[in-house]
């Protein structure tokens, strides 16, 4: 933040300025867990792989609903289906078919971590890619922290101007 003093306190080769940096920190406790899963199955027959994958993803979603995870908190993505190709001794072979789906869900029950982990571990072909923590109103907290950083910068600039016998005008530049 660059603030303009009302009185000239610097050399005459440009507008008199005071440049300060404002910093603010806000500690928060997360209130969400964001889980990223990958469901994958393989098999020799196209119809069997498709049916098994449909059942696997449906079972996962049913378990999440039973655990209180609402449908609006669940997203599927990167659904793929194709030939399962493997390399052996420099040659590519077709070994049936493969299907996969990424599934992301948000839980607000932070105490459910171990229970959810164990439930998901019971599914063959399901891996937990990651679990991260977040804050439901993160943007509101970030906005308030940013405003507090600007207030800190303003206090610093006012203190510096006072030592120099100057007063502050409005900001010239905010980064």
């Amino acid at each position: 933040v660059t603030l303009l003093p009302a009185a000239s306190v610097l050399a005459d080769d440009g507008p008199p300025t005071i440049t300060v940096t404002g910093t603010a920190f806000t500690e928060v406790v997360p209130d969400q867990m964001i889980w990223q899963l990958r469901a994958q199955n393989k098999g020799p027959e196209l119809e069997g792989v498709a049916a098994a994958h449909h059942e696997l993803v449906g079972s996962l979603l049913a378990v999440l609903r039973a655990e209180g995870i609402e449908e609006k908190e669940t997203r599927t993505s990167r659904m793929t289906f194709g030939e399962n190709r493997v390399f052996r001794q420099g040659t590519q072979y077709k070994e049936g078919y493969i299907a996969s789906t990424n599934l992301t869900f948000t839980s607000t029950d932070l105490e459910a971590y171990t229970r959810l982990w164990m439930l998901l571990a019971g599914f063959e072909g399901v891996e937990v890619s990651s679990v991260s923590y977040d804050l439901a109103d993160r943007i509101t907290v970030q906005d308030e922290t940013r405003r507090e950083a600007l207030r800190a910068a303003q206090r610093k600039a006012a203190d510096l101007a006072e030592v120099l016998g100057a007063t502050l005008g409005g900001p010239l530049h905010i980064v």
Side-chain angles (χ1 to χ4, degrees):
V1 176
T2 303
L3 300 169
L4 177 65
S8 178
V9 293
L10 301 175
D12 292 331
D13 58 349
T17 59
I18 297 173
T19 302
V20 294
T21 300
T23 305
F25 297 96
T26 302
E27 286 190 31
V28 296
V29 175
D31 59 3
Q32 297 179 329
M33 287 186 295
I34 302 167
W35 293 70
Q36 294 184 342
L37 315 175
R38 180 175 172 91
Q40 178 176 289
N41 62 299
K42 301 174 187 176
E45 301 295 323
L46 178 66
E47 293 80 13
V49 170
H53 192 70
H54 181 73
E55 184 178 326
L56 174 60
V57 172
S59 295
L60 273 172
L61 292 171
V63 164
L64 295 177
R65 297 298 170 269
E67 286 297 313
I69 308 297
E70 296 181 30
E71 186 174 341
K72 69 180 182 176
E73 298 298 333
T74 307
R75 295 162 302 286
T76 56
S77 63
R78 296 192 51 88
M79 294 163 275
T80 63
F81 189 79
E83 293 182 345
N84 182 28
R85 297 220 169 250
V86 296
F87 287 95
R88 271 188 249 123
Q89 299 173 345
T91 304
Q92 185 178 32
Y93 296 93
K94 176 185 167 189
E95 284 192 355
Y97 298 89
I98 187 169
S100 68
T101 299
N102 289 351
L103 192 139
T104 302
F105 70 91
T106 302
S107 172
T108 56
D109 181 2
L110 300 184
E111 301 298 319
Y113 178 84
T114 301
R115 187 177 69 249
L116 287 169
W117 186 273
M118 296 307 292
L119 281 169
L120 296 169
F123 282 89
E124 187 174 335
V126 173
E127 65 181 51
V128 176
S129 303
S130 71
V131 179
S132 58
Y133 293 88
D134 203 356
L135 192 64
D137 64 342
R138 178 177 39 85
I139 300 301
T140 302
V141 172
Q142 286 175 332
D143 288 348
E144 181 52 39
T145 304
R146 192 176 299 110
R147 285 189 289 275
E148 187 55 40
L150 279 172
R151 287 189 280 273
Q154 186 177 36
R155 286 189 301 270
K156 285 181 184 180
D159 287 346
L160 291 171
E162 182 182 347
V163 168
L164 298 172
T167 57
L168 293 178
L172 295 176
H173 186 74
I174 298 174
V175 178

